[in-house]
Amino acid sequence: MIGIIEKRLAWKSVELIQSPVPKIKLSRIGIVSRDYNKLRDFSPSLGTVLKYLDNRGCDSVLFSLYTMYHDNLKCVSDCLRGLKFTKTVFIEEFRYKNKKKNKMDPTKFVVHNKRSGKWEKYEFKQRFGTMKGTKSFVLEKRDPFVAEIGKKRTFGNCSVFLCGETNIFKYSKMTGRIKDEFKIIDKIHGAKVILNPVHDRMT
């Protein structure tokens, strides 16, 4: 499934190098998802999808998670070659825990960003899927996420929460309200778009 979100906010080498935190200004976003139980990763159609969205003026493309199997990563750099309008591509790399049972293990999330004619990549990992109250969770997962969301997960006018990381916000079914206990909105000041690619359907 391919969708385009347009938010009105007012090839040389394809060598991929690690970049500092990218500064991005998203204005027309292509969103792509699939049934990963039927299609193992996006490699068979990655180039076609990117060209399709590039031809429609998308400056960025957000893929659903479990995007690219580790053994197929070479096709990513090949598919970035020649894109005219698309400057940023968001994907997740993964390996298999059990290939026969289609059990996947995310390894890292990658922001491919074109800067000065060269594609760079910025990497990070999902911190958590659900919130827990244990001391180890707070110290090793929650607090580091709160500390990094503004500096390492906010890229110009957008911020990225991976799958269940949005559980950092508390939702009350009784009141229908969301509580921002850790002042996350203040930390991602300047982000007008929150990107939240997921592994599975969430409420």
Side-chain angles (χ1 to χ4, degrees):
M1 182 177 76
I2 300 175
I4 299 175
I5 290 182
E6 183 174 6
K7 187 171 183 65
R8 301 185 185 281
L9 305 174
W11 185 271
K12 300 179 182 177
S13 170
V14 284
E15 177 186 0
L16 301 176
I17 60 175
Q18 177 64 32
S19 72
V21 178
K23 298 297 181 185
I24 300 168
K25 186 177 181 181
L26 305 182
S27 60
R28 188 170 173 84
I29 309 168
I31 299 177
V32 191
S33 65
R34 80 191 191 290
D35 181 347
Y36 63 76
N37 290 305
K38 296 179 180 178
L39 185 64
R40 290 296 176 99
D41 73 353
F42 282 100
S43 57
S45 56
L46 186 69
T48 302
V49 169
L50 286 173
K51 286 180 182 178
Y52 174 88
L53 295 172
D54 185 62
N55 287 338
R56 280 149 185 79
C58 290
D59 56 32
S60 56
V61 180
L62 176 68
F63 285 91
S64 58
L65 299 183
Y66 295 137
T67 316
M68 292 298 300
Y69 177 44
H70 186 270
D71 288 1
N72 297 332
L73 291 179
K74 184 183 182 298
C75 82
V76 176
S77 57
D78 292 341
C79 293
L80 294 176
R81 184 183 289 110
L83 297 179
K84 297 178 181 179
F85 298 103
T86 304
K87 302 290 190 266
T88 311
V89 178
F90 301 88
I91 71 167
E92 182 185 63
E93 299 175 6
F94 71 92
R95 293 182 184 272
Y96 281 103
K97 290 181 180 179
N98 187 322
K99 197 167 186 178
K100 289 184 178 180
K101 294 184 179 181
N102 210 27
K103 298 292 185 182
M104 305 177 203
D105 184 24
T107 54
K108 56 189 172 183
F109 188 81
V110 185
V111 181
H112 293 280
N113 188 52
K114 193 175 184 180
R115 185 168 67 104
S116 300
K118 291 185 178 181
W119 284 94
E120 301 176 338
K121 60 180 183 178
Y122 179 77
E123 304 171 351
F124 55 92
K125 294 183 178 182
Q126 182 177 341
R127 286 285 186 178
F128 56 86
T130 58
M131 290 286 282
K132 300 178 182 178
T134 63
K135 185 176 181 180
S136 61
F137 176 85
V138 169
L139 292 175
E140 298 171 14
K141 298 183 182 294
R142 191 199 71 187
D143 286 355
F145 175 82
V146 172
E148 77 179 14
I149 190 66
K151 297 179 180 179
K152 297 182 179 180
R153 296 285 202 93
T154 300
F155 316 119
N157 70 347
C158 69
S159 189
V160 178
F161 292 69
L162 298 180
C163 204
E165 289 176 342
T166 51
N167 287 311
I168 195 72
F169 299 104
K170 288 186 176 180
Y171 173 70
S172 171
K173 292 182 179 180
M174 293 289 290
T175 64
R177 293 177 179 271
I178 294 174
K179 184 178 180 181
D180 185 8
E181 181 179 353
F182 303 102
K183 308 297 181 187
I184 300 297
I185 298 302
D186 291 340
K187 297 181 191 309
I188 61 173
H189 178 71
K192 298 182 182 298
V193 181
I194 293 179
L195 304 177
N196 180 223
V198 300
H199 294 103
D200 298 286
R201 185 184 303 174
M202 296 174 61
T203 57

